[in-house]
Amino acid sequence: MDDYVGGQPYGSGLQSRDAVKVSWLKPIGLLWLSIYNFIMRILTLGIHHFWGKTEVRKRIWSSVRLNGEPLEYTGTGRELFTGFLIVFAAVLLPTMLLTLAAVMLLGVDSVWLKVFQGALYAFFLFLTGAAIYRAQRYRLNRTRWRGIRAGLSGSSLRYAWTYFWTLLLLPVTFGWIAPWRSTLLQRIITQDMRFGDKHFRFSGGSGPLYKSFAVFWLLNVVVIGGVLAIIGKAIVGSMNAFQADEGDLRQQLPPDAIPGLLAAIYGGLFVAGLIYMVLSVWYRAAMIRHFARYTHIDGLDFKSNVTARGLLGIAITNYLLLFVGALLASVVLGGIGMVVLGGLSGFGIDPLGLAQNVEPQALAGRIGILVTFVFLFALGMLLPLTQARTSGYLVRNLALSGTIDLATVAAGAPEDIRRGEGLAQAFDIDAL
Amino acid sequence: MPYDSETKMTGPYFEARYSDGRTAAARDIRVALSKHGLLLRQDYPAGDEVWPYTSLTTAEPLSSHAIDALISNAAQPGASLFVPNGSFARQLAQLAPHLTTRAARRRAAVPWLITAAVIVAIAAAISAAQFSPARAIASMMPDKVRKALGNQAVRSLTKSKPSCMQAEGLAAVSAMTRRLSSGLDGGRTFNVTVVDLGLVNAFATPGNRIVLTRGLIEKAGSADEVAGVLAHEIGHAVALDPETGIVRAIGMSAAVELMFGGSGTVSNIGVLLAQLSYTRQAEAQADETALRLLEKAGISAKGFGQFFRRVNKEGDAGSDSAGGIAGMLRTHPPTAERIRRVDAANTYRATPALSPEQWQAMKAMCPKAAKEDG
């Protein structure tokens, strides 16, 4: 029972100050849970998603141990589901109908339609901020340790507004507002966060983050510039070589030159994407360490030791897992699909039109679309596993120094948040 | 609950950690699994306590590979008990089976499995009864909405490509349309637009509008062939197929959003309509209407069959140049069965759909065609 070291001597929590040791107890059976949830999601036409997600969270939460004792996730699938339904009925459905009405009334080419769509887009950006905050609040509110609940006591509108106007400044400042912005948003969340009646504190500014950001930004400019130059050169080169007097590029290029040009463009973009991923992970690691360094509660100070290398390793292996999982799932689902189609055709039902004399290309096209859809759907199958791996990495690299008098941490006033994080679910914002 | 002297122990004591939920402090106690419930052995002054098995809850259900258990008592909110012992967790799972993963999963899954089965059964029943909710909604659509949808669809398609406005050509098109629609009850009129697009396509939009492409007119060998296609599209329009298609597409995208989240919206109705594919029944019905209209108008149905064979031959040859057979063929390829039905149409006295001059005007009505001619 090595996992339970760090517990305090019996009874000591009542008088003295306690150190808190964070540890990660690797959850067992997540692979099977991922597959179970995936199957159930299909069998229940998607509804099981919310219950599956809740079970995954319970596992991940209880893998986080403070002094050997697990965090508890007390949210329910029903809460997530009703939250989603309410947002769907109150936000998504009206938006869809409103857009349709606007297209019909204003016309496709109308300037007013563009204005309407712009306003709608801005409204959704604002809602995104609110969704992030509310999702966080729900999750904290459903997190307990030793029966004491965490929480987030502030205004989601205030956060949403800050999120919105600083977002508008991002392009204007060529991104240079980013470290200041993310620190500001993190500060709002952290200072609104509490465990029981104890508030978290955030003690720093964005200054130290700017060094990492400058490197990140400059390297990005160099990479993007370089790739653009290479692609541009390839295009100009091909055009010079093959362009006749007039007409568009595609018809003038001999067919055998096109693959080379496409390879240059996509290859360039792929390499640029990889480099960008490495750079952004490097900056993200710096940001996580930065945020942790300034987070405190009572006498406890947070410290994160995450590294770019560690995060990158987790990210790459996670992508591979998702890919392989989706591949296997697609093969299995494809096999089942064939059997089902065969069975249906026995009853004279033929959804793909196999019995009609369709050209082979058209049939291949239909099957291709179907397989792509199944693959994209299956990409999410192993998400519980990858989320647990990411959480595990973050938790294993988290340390708390200092002490806290746990006997003085009282349960906060009870709050009543019945619904889940519908808004975030609808916008697909989801850290866990 | 005070100590019950009748309590019979079923096992040894386990080390545990108890939190009362008022503060984050915890104290170490010993617990045992008794006949009536979980026995919490506490030091003076608290005394022993029994948590009945039926009132126990866990945030994380007890799985078979659990190495510990975190338990709450519904009768005592906030209080929690952490027992870092796998053997305890397994024994508790037997005494309080509602705490197991299996039980939790059953509670979560069974209602929705039943719901899903009911939904599938209803959907199957609806489709077996050949009732289409989309068609029902489409038939309730007010004319104003139909017209607005149709105008949007045509405008979104003709926005980049000019429609063909040459006067003699327009006159020929409307003459052909009038001749065909005279066979319909209630004097319905149709607004036919020819778009200056090279690909071969024809489709009906809501609000009795029909779009033909220049490519289709060029591909056709005679005015009778165009008349056949036009009659077929009038058949779709009469059956409200375009309206039904749009309702169905909107319903589908709402369903997809419901399943996956997101905020996608149907924005380009024109593209949607051009790509809609109708069911085989809808196609067969449109063919039937087309044959009826051709006969009433005294236009030979041979042209219709001719056009089918023409595009089919192209498909067999595997021609794929710049979407030559795209559109119409991809969405509803004429099957052998359809061609046979058209060929089997009644023979009757027929005159050409257009005079040679009108046919020439129709072929030359688009700017691009006119340029190529000149």
Side-chain angles (χ1 to χ4, degrees):
Chain A
M1 289 289 109
D2 275 347
D3 292 300
Y4 299 105
V5 296
Q8 289 301 294
Y10 300 163
S12 68
L14 290 173
Q15 304 92 7
S16 63
R17 295 187 68 84
D18 312 72
V20 176
K21 182 173 179 282
V22 190
S23 57
W24 173 258
L25 189 68
K26 195 175 174 237
I28 305 164
L30 268 183
L31 178 66
W32 163 238
L33 178 59
S34 303
I35 296 170
Y36 171 81
N37 281 348
F38 183 68
I39 296 170
M40 285 305 293
R41 202 172 158 186
I42 297 174
L43 291 183
T44 61
L45 307 176
I47 305 173
H48 186 263
H49 173 71
F50 306 97
W51 280 263
K53 187 179 224 166
T54 299
E55 190 176 347
V56 170
R57 283 191 187 164
K58 285 179 186 292
R59 295 279 189 95
I60 293 180
W61 258 243
S62 96
S63 299
V64 181
R65 302 291 166 114
L66 302 179
N67 288 347
E69 293 174 50
L71 293 186
E72 220 180 341
Y73 179 76
T74 61
T76 66
R78 181 189 294 259
E79 287 167 348
L80 288 183
F81 184 48
T82 42
F84 170 72
L85 283 185
I86 286 169
V87 167
F88 185 81
V91 180
L92 294 186
L93 205 61
T95 308
M96 233 172 82
L97 295 177
L98 212 61
T99 309
L100 197 69
V103 170
M104 279 169 55
L105 290 174
L106 302 171
V108 179
D109 300 322
S110 147
V111 181
W112 289 109
L113 184 68
K114 302 271 184 297
V115 171
F116 171 79
Q117 282 170 334
L120 201 64
Y121 194 67
F123 176 63
F124 268 69
L125 285 182
F126 178 80
L127 277 189
T128 305
I132 294 173
Y133 191 91
R134 294 171 81 100
Q136 189 79 353
R137 182 168 69 190
Y138 173 74
R139 280 174 234 180
L140 284 168
N141 212 268
R142 294 293 181 265
T143 301
R144 292 199 311 188
W145 186 69
R146 287 189 174 174
I148 305 291
R149 241 194 345 218
L152 194 67
S153 41
S155 151
S156 63
L157 289 185
R158 173 176 159 237
Y159 183 88
W161 174 242
T162 312
Y163 179 92
F164 180 69
W165 73 260
T166 53
L167 187 69
L168 296 185
L169 287 183
L170 266 179
V172 183
T173 57
F174 299 104
W176 280 86
I177 198 183
W180 181 80
R181 172 175 190 261
S182 32
T183 307
L184 179 64
L185 292 173
Q186 181 71 18
R187 177 200 304 277
I188 295 179
I189 292 260
T190 306
Q191 297 201 329
D192 285 351
M193 244 166 73
R194 51 185 179 70
F195 172 60
D197 60 351
K198 287 262 188 296
H199 269 268
F200 283 73
R201 284 174 292 118
F202 193 82
S203 63
S206 57
L209 196 52
Y210 265 93
K211 214 173 95 184
S212 307
F213 181 77
V215 176
F216 169 69
W217 194 89
L218 285 172
L219 284 178
N220 261 329
V221 168
V222 171
V223 169
I224 291 169
V227 168
L228 282 183
I230 292 169
I231 292 175
K233 212 174 158 196
I235 292 176
V236 170
S238 334
M239 279 168 76
N240 287 343
F242 298 111
Q243 199 174 32
D245 29 290
E246 61 172 290
D248 63 1
L249 188 62
R250 224 186 119 169
Q251 280 167 0
Q252 301 298 341
L253 276 177
D256 51 321
I258 294 170
L261 187 60
L262 286 181
I265 293 175
Y266 285 110
L269 287 177
F270 181 71
V271 172
L274 277 186
I275 298 177
Y276 175 77
M277 189 172 123
V278 173
L279 285 176
S280 60
V281 164
W282 178 79
Y283 175 64
R284 214 183 124 217
M287 196 159 72
I288 293 172
R289 290 193 302 266
H290 173 79
F291 289 159
R293 190 182 312 138
Y294 297 124
T295 303
H296 318 271
I297 180 167
D298 200 55
L300 288 176
D301 306 315
F302 286 67
K303 185 173 191 301
S304 173
N305 298 314
V306 301
T307 61
R309 211 174 136 177
L311 277 183
L312 199 65
I314 290 282
I316 291 173
T317 46
N318 275 352
Y319 285 134
L320 284 177
L321 272 174
L322 291 179
F323 185 79
V324 170
L327 217 55
L328 292 177
S330 307
V331 168
V332 172
L333 284 181
I336 295 174
M338 301 277 248
V339 172
V340 170
L341 280 182
L344 283 178
S345 69
F347 291 99
I349 305 170
D350 185 16
L352 276 182
L354 295 169
Q356 300 174 54
N357 56 5
V358 187
E359 320 128 67
Q361 298 122 293
L363 190 63
R366 275 178 223 181
I367 292 175
I369 290 172
L370 211 64
V371 168
T372 312
F373 184 77
V374 168
F375 182 80
L376 289 179
F377 181 62
L379 266 181
M381 184 176 76
L382 292 187
L383 271 179
L385 196 62
T386 59
Q387 286 164 347
R389 296 180 80 238
T390 309
S391 310
Y393 177 75
L394 293 175
V395 171
R396 282 198 310 274
N397 285 287
L398 186 68
L400 298 180
S401 59
T403 57
I404 183 170
D405 186 355
L406 289 172
T408 66
V409 180
E415 271 172 86
D416 196 15
I417 303 178
R418 288 225 182 84
R419 276 177 274 111
E421 55 219 57
L423 210 51
Q425 172 76 38
F427 292 166
D428 214 16
I429 301 159
D430 210 350
L432 276 176
Chain B
M1 190 176 291
Y3 176 65
D4 179 357
S5 59
E6 287 181 349
T7 302
K8 301 274 191 304
M9 310 305 302
T10 58
Y13 282 102
F14 298 92
E15 303 290 342
R17 195 149 250 250
Y18 173 81
S19 311
D20 61 11
R22 287 193 283 271
T23 74
R27 65 175 177 273
D28 291 294
I29 63 168
R30 288 182 302 154
V31 296
L33 296 158
S34 80
K35 201 167 138 196
H36 303 296
L38 195 56
L39 180 80
L40 282 68
R41 169 135 279 170
Q42 310 219 44
D43 295 334
Y44 180 84
D48 288 354
E49 211 182 324
V50 174
W51 286 7
Y53 289 127
T54 47
S55 69
L56 296 187
T57 63
T58 56
E60 202 201 356
L62 301 173
S63 70
S64 52
H65 39 65
I67 56 165
D68 50 33
L70 179 59
I71 307 150
S72 306
N73 179 0
Q76 212 175 311
S80 66
L81 191 68
F82 178 59
V83 188
N85 189 312
S87 153
F88 170 86
R90 278 185 294 278
Q91 289 178 47
L92 179 62
Q94 301 211 325
L95 291 163
H98 68 283
L99 298 180
T100 58
T101 309
R102 180 185 294 234
R105 283 195 183 155
R106 190 177 304 131
R107 280 194 299 271
V110 167
W112 297 120
L113 282 174
I114 295 172
T115 308
V118 170
I119 291 174
V120 169
I122 290 174
I126 285 176
S127 90
Q130 305 230 322
F131 170 76
S132 157
R135 196 165 292 274
I137 296 173
S139 66
M140 289 185 295
M141 218 180 249
D143 276 345
K144 237 182 172 167
V145 174
R146 265 179 239 269
K147 283 235 150 48
L149 279 172
N151 292 343
Q152 280 311 320
V154 175
R155 206 182 308 162
S156 69
L157 272 174
T158 53
K159 135 174 94 169
S160 54
K161 297 287 173 186
S163 50
C164 307
M165 300 299 284
Q166 203 263 332
E168 286 87 356
L170 282 180
V173 170
S174 74
M176 183 187 276
T177 313
R178 266 199 313 275
R179 197 171 157 190
L180 284 169
S181 60
S182 65
L184 284 170
D185 310 325
R188 287 174 74 162
T189 55
F190 294 86
N191 182 344
V192 180
T193 309
V194 179
V195 192
D196 196 4
L197 274 171
L199 52 88
V200 181
N201 205 348
F203 57 90
T205 79
N208 293 340
R209 294 194 70 162
I210 288 162
V211 175
L212 302 177
T213 61
R214 168 174 55 80
L216 183 128
I217 296 174
E218 281 169 356
K219 176 71 64 191
S222 69
D224 284 11
E225 293 185 22
V226 177
V229 174
L230 187 56
H232 173 86
E233 294 308 329
I234 290 178
H236 277 310
V238 169
L240 297 183
D241 289 339
E243 283 89 343
T244 307
I246 284 185
V247 170
R248 192 172 290 144
I250 292 172
M252 287 291 274
S253 77
V256 167
E257 278 193 31
L258 193 60
M259 275 188 81
F260 298 105
S263 53
T265 43
V266 181
S267 57
N268 198 332
I269 310 165
V271 172
L272 175 73
L273 274 171
Q275 292 169 344
L276 271 186
S277 63
Y278 299 128
T279 59
R280 260 188 293 172
Q281 286 109 305
E283 292 302 339
Q285 206 189 339
D287 283 347
E288 220 165 276
T289 312
L291 291 178
R292 196 161 46 85
L293 293 182
L294 288 170
E295 182 170 355
K296 283 197 178 168
I299 299 171
S300 168
K302 289 207 176 61
F304 193 20
Q306 195 69 41
F307 188 79
F308 273 175
R309 264 188 290 277
R310 194 184 296 282
V311 282
N312 239 14
K313 202 187 290 171
E314 187 121 326
D316 289 344
S319 156
D320 207 29
S321 55
I325 52 155
M328 177 162 186
L329 264 186
R330 291 260 185 256
T331 50
H332 39 101
T335 58
E337 196 194 338
R338 284 180 70 192
I339 297 179
R340 208 178 51 241
R341 265 205 306 262
V342 171
D343 284 347
N346 304 337
T347 42
Y348 42 84
R349 282 175 59 90
T351 54
L354 294 176
S355 71
E357 297 77 35
Q358 281 175 314
W359 174 229
Q360 282 313 316
M362 187 187 263
K363 283 205 284 190
M365 71 187 288
C366 294
K368 188 121 181 204
K371 201 169 80 181
E372 278 163 15
D373 281 357

